[in-house]
Amino acid sequence: IIGRGKIDEDFFEGLEELLITADVGVHSASRIISGLREDVKKNKLKEPKDVEQYLKSEILKIIKSLQPSAFSLQPKSNPFVIMVIGVNGSGKTTTIGKLASRYMKEGKKVLLAAGDTFRAAAIEQLEIWGKRSGCTVIKHQSGADPSAVIYDAVQSAKAREYDILIADTAGRLHTKVNLMEEMKKIKRIMGRELQGAPHEILMVLDATTGQNAVSQARLFNEAVGITGIALTKLDGTAKGGVVINIIDELKIPVKLIGVGEGVDDLREFEPEAFVEALFD
Amino acid sequence: NLTNKLETIFKKLRGYGKLNEDNIKDALREVRIALLEADVNLNVVKEFIEKIKVRAVGQEVMSSLTPGQQVVKIVNEELTTMLGGTNSSIALVSKPPTIIMMVGLQGSGKTTTSAKLARRLLKEGQLPLLVAADVYRPAAIEQLNILGKELAIPVFNGNGTNNPVDICKRSLAEASEKGCRSIVIDTAGRLHIDEELMQELKNIKSEIKPHEILFVADAMTGQDAVNVAKTFNEHIGIDGIVLTKMDGDARGGAALSIRSVTGKPIKFIGIGEKLDQFESFYPDRVASRILG
Ligand SMILES: Nc1nc2c(ncn2[C@@H]2O[C@H](COP(=O)(O)OP(=O)(O)OP(=O)(O)O)[C@@H](O)[C@H]2O)c(=O)[nH]1
Ligand SMILES: Nc1nc2c(ncn2[C@@H]2O[C@H](COP(=O)(O)OP(=O)(O)OP(=O)(O)O)[C@@H](O)[C@H]2O)c(=O)[nH]1
Ligand SMILES: [Mg+2]
Ligand SMILES: [Mg+2]
């Protein structure tokens, strides 16, 4: 786009298309680019690469409209309870494995709760991650009530003075009312057994997801309140641009990103790197 | 919705006489927006708009009392045509077993779909053998074995090897021993840009020559669907597509993107986590869903 040299209608269209193909969404992209057109006039920008820089800074502004502290996951009380939710296959269990390992390396005492009692081999999958990170996993038999597992896990975390409890839950589509109710119940049990819990409710979102991500975030947020998003599979070619809208409209920060299937493939969300990658 | 927006536009155009490419621009822009909101890939949308432009300025719209509705009808028809016919058959070979390989990105629903397909094949009298060729994901083999047990369908785990190519090779003898008429291979999720893992698929393909390679894709996939499907198709060639998680509220524009860029038929859709939640693909239903 920049090689064209001229700031004309084609140039602005090219930028709008770049945003659309990054999953920013047709309406958000159009709003951002019309704002850009105004600013280019107002600031009398002449060079295409200056316009691109300006666009990057405008998107960065949207992301940073939330407090910088919002973007970090800081365990602030003991035990610090993290509830992990999201639609099927987004990367919840894997992200928990990575997070557990990170905290263990920081010298924290981490407990995991196998809250997915539904899907085939979900408990076994989390147990393997538990072994890899050296964490205990609280589990019941497959088919048990997830709230019962969570109840036990919270009691265990308190009694044995764990620093962090991370609860895995079954994947669920936000449109399934009974599953959303089950999730609300899990949250209620946590709060009832430990004041303030869950301290962090992390929604795991697959970066390849399109505009449906907004509907996911909205409904999960309405149900239990999301304190942060873990954006996974950014090691692919999808840009995850839909989070710009989620940050802007729902005021929910992205806290973590997944960049692979290995235990160390977890990073803090870095707004600048994210925006740069949109334009790669 | 789209019909209302188009009716408003055509009301304004009434006084301008003959409809042409120029004044129909706003109407086409609304169609473009609807498709992009539905996650249809941008380039696929552009091609689509070019296709319907000709019909949109034709007699059927101009002489209609409700031109807005007429345009929606045209869009629906063209979408349905582009999505392809209902072809949910796996081409069964005259000399069994029919070998089917499931491929796709991480978490798209391959393992669950492998079991669903095996269940369907069993019902059709094509006793399947499920093959657990995902040796990477923690408990992937257990996952497939639990599903196989639930369906009373045999699962082959490689008989001692944990090399996916060898597992697949050995599954042929296993199928023959067990009298299976079909083989469904569950492979590990992988990125289309992972050279090594894409090579693994090529190796499996050249060793056992599957009769059908099904690309399993998540219905909520966004613009990237085109890159992924194109790359999988270029590397190993896909024969059909399965769209999973259609029980959600994703508009499913990825269906059009994938179909358009690969030219391959969408054969099945997954409509739930249970093994009987598996259906044939109906283009007209998906077309109206994409239009929203
Ligand atoms: N490439 C890549 N793959 C990932 C990433 N995170 C998770 N995965 C893969 O995505 C697939 C699904 O991950 P899971 O952790 O099982 O997802 P989940 O949300 O727990 O799935 P359900 O419990 O079935 O809803 C697995 O193959 C993971 O290895 C990531 O950041 N990058
Ligand atoms: N709601 C719904 N969930 C589905 C559907 N198909 C699969 N799932 C769920 O999606 C998640 C991922 O399914 P898997 O079969 O493990 O996906 P996969 O492609 O084998 O994952 P990897 O092996 O890690 O690449 C699980 O929670 C499944 O139960 C579907 O059609 N509808
Ligand atoms: Mg899981
Ligand atoms: Mg699998």
Side-chain angles (χ1 to χ4, degrees):
Chain A
I1 305 167
I2 303 309
R4 290 182 46 84
K6 241 169 117 240
I7 301 177
D8 55 9
E9 197 40 47
D10 277 355
F11 175 72
F12 284 115
E13 236 179 68
L15 287 177
E16 189 166 347
E17 296 198 345
L18 182 149
L19 294 182
I20 290 173
T21 49
D23 284 319
V24 168
V26 61
H27 297 293
S28 294
S30 145
R31 247 196 339 271
I32 291 171
I33 298 302
S34 24
L36 183 69
R37 278 199 188 91
E38 298 287 305
D39 293 333
V40 165
K41 272 209 202 98
K42 207 165 68 201
N43 302 332
K44 303 199 195 318
L45 296 177
K46 296 285 175 234
E47 293 298 317
K49 67 176 183 342
D50 290 337
V51 177
E52 193 191 57
Q53 247 343 96
Y54 195 90
L55 175 57
K56 286 182 186 176
S57 66
E58 284 304 295
I59 296 175
L60 210 52
K61 241 194 237 153
I62 297 174
I63 294 175
K64 291 188 169 177
S65 64
L66 301 180
Q67 276 202 339
S69 59
F71 294 102
S72 66
L73 218 185
Q74 291 299 354
K76 289 198 191 83
S77 52
N78 258 40
F80 189 81
V81 180
I82 303 170
M83 180 178 173
V84 180
I85 61 181
V87 302
N88 308 71
S90 57
K92 298 175 291 299
T93 307
T94 305
T95 301
I96 290 170
K98 295 171 181 176
L99 205 49
S101 169
R102 165 187 289 205
Y103 285 136
M104 290 295 278
K105 289 203 181 106
E106 292 174 2
K108 300 249 167 27
K109 203 167 160 220
V110 183
L111 183 66
L112 302 180
D116 180 355
T117 56
F118 172 76
R119 206 208 69 213
I123 297 170
E124 290 86 331
Q125 184 186 5
L126 187 68
E127 284 192 288
I128 291 172
W129 279 107
K131 279 213 186 71
R132 283 179 181 178
S133 53
C135 300
T136 303
V137 178
I138 299 292
K139 59 173 182 165
H140 287 194
Q141 75 282 12
S142 180
D145 179 358
S147 290
V149 181
I150 297 309
Y151 175 88
D152 277 356
V154 175
Q155 300 312 333
S156 229
K158 290 193 293 189
R160 293 189 242 152
E161 302 192 327
Y162 277 90
D163 296 312
I164 307 199
L165 166 61
I166 311 177
D168 192 10
T169 64
R172 71 202 66 227
L173 294 184
H174 47 298
T175 47
K176 310 236 160 141
V177 179
N178 59 327
L179 297 183
M180 296 304 274
E181 285 306 310
E182 174 189 91
M183 180 179 64
K184 286 183 192 171
K185 181 175 173 207
I186 291 172
K187 178 187 180 185
R188 267 200 310 278
I189 301 284
M190 285 177 168
R192 195 190 63 197
E193 299 307 314
L194 175 66
Q195 206 192 24
H199 306 93
E200 189 79 41
I201 299 184
L202 215 55
M203 184 181 101
V204 179
L205 176 65
D206 186 329
T208 67
T209 310
Q211 298 309 300
N212 193 249
V214 180
S215 165
Q216 289 176 27
R218 182 168 295 129
L219 291 181
F220 275 96
N221 194 39
E222 279 171 21
V224 295
I226 304 169
T227 58
I229 286 174
L231 186 63
T232 61
K233 308 179 200 173
L234 271 177
D235 45 318
T237 50
K239 306 287 185 176
V242 67
V243 299
I244 296 169
N245 195 345
I246 293 175
I247 291 170
D248 194 26
E249 285 193 19
L250 299 176
K251 312 288 178 234
I252 297 169
V254 175
K255 299 200 172 193
L256 298 167
I257 62 172
V259 293
E261 303 188 70
V263 71
D264 295 320
D265 294 327
L266 184 71
R267 293 184 200 156
E268 307 252 321
F269 177 68
E270 281 166 14
E272 286 80 3
F274 177 79
V275 175
E276 279 302 321
L278 281 182
F279 288 79
D280 276 344
Chain B
N1 63 23
L2 185 61
T3 308
N4 298 342
K5 291 191 186 141
L6 292 178
E7 285 301 351
T8 311
I9 289 171
F10 280 100
K11 272 203 184 69
K12 292 207 219 103
L13 292 179
R14 272 279 152 61
Y16 295 172
K18 203 175 195 307
L19 287 178
N20 57 40
E21 258 201 41
D22 237 353
N23 56 30
I24 199 115
K25 211 161 63 212
D26 283 347
L28 293 179
R29 189 171 157 275
E30 285 305 323
V31 175
R32 167 191 156 105
I33 290 173
L35 295 176
L36 288 175
E37 285 177 329
D39 289 322
V40 179
N41 178 270
L42 180 63
N43 291 327
V44 175
V45 172
K46 287 181 180 177
E47 286 176 27
F48 183 82
I49 297 294
E50 283 308 308
K51 256 205 186 91
I52 65 166
K53 218 185 241 174
V54 178
R55 283 185 71 184
V57 297
Q59 254 326 297
E60 63 192 308
V61 175
M62 304 228 283
S63 55
S64 167
L65 291 174
T66 53
Q69 280 183 29
Q70 201 55 32
V71 172
V72 172
K73 177 167 167 293
I74 290 170
V75 172
N76 224 311
E77 285 178 9
E78 287 296 335
L79 268 181
T80 304
T81 303
M82 268 182 81
L83 284 168
T86 295
N87 164 15
S88 53
S89 62
I90 300 284
L92 298 170
V93 300
S94 49
K95 252 180 112 262
T98 302
I99 305 168
I100 304 150
M101 183 164 91
M102 316 295 286
V103 304
L105 293 178
Q106 291 89 346
S108 60
K110 297 173 295 298
T111 304
T112 309
T113 304
S114 297
K116 288 176 176 181
L117 180 59
R119 177 183 177 278
R120 184 164 173 133
L121 288 165
L122 181 67
K123 279 185 168 264
E124 295 174 354
Q126 302 296 326
L127 178 65
L129 175 70
L130 280 165
V131 180
D134 180 355
V135 303
Y136 310 104
R137 169 174 154 153
I141 296 173
E142 282 90 319
Q143 185 184 3
L144 191 66
N145 277 275
I146 289 169
L147 297 179
K149 198 152 176 209
E150 207 177 303
L151 298 170
I153 288 175
V155 181
F156 181 63
N157 299 326
N159 220 353
T161 175
N162 76 345
N163 175 324
V165 182
D166 292 333
I167 294 173
C168 293
K169 271 164 78 180
R170 293 183 193 188
S171 76
L172 301 180
E174 180 80 0
S176 148
E177 267 174 49
K178 285 200 151 68
C180 294
R181 299 179 58 81
S182 63
I183 298 176
V184 180
I185 301 170
D186 180 26
T187 67
R190 69 202 64 218
L191 294 179
H192 51 302
I193 53 173
D194 186 325
E195 297 275 340
E196 209 172 309
L197 286 183
M198 290 308 283
Q199 186 59 46
E200 176 184 280
L201 282 186
K202 289 186 209 175
N203 295 343
I204 294 176
K205 180 178 183 178
S206 67
E207 280 298 332
I208 63 162
K209 308 197 175 25
H211 305 105
E212 186 104 12
I213 296 179
L214 292 180
F215 177 64
V216 180
D218 195 321
M220 60 183 94
T221 311
Q223 295 288 312
D224 203 44
V226 128
N227 298 332
V228 182
K230 188 162 176 286
T231 308
F232 268 91
N233 198 30
E234 283 171 353
H235 278 279
I236 58 161
I238 63 183
D239 299 299
I241 299 154
V242 181
L243 270 188
T244 62
K245 308 175 203 173
M246 285 287 275
D247 44 317
D249 63 352
R251 296 262 291 271
L256 186 65
S257 304
I258 297 172
R259 160 76 179 158
S260 160
V261 82
T262 62
K264 300 299 161 68
I266 301 172
K267 299 205 168 184
F268 304 104
I269 60 171
I271 54 162
E273 295 191 74
K274 301 211 188 78
L275 302 180
D276 59 352
Q277 290 172 323
F278 190 54
E279 285 186 354
S280 300
F281 169 76
Y282 291 101
D284 53 335
R285 291 183 200 169
V286 177
S288 46
R289 174 179 176 144
I290 288 175
L291 271 190

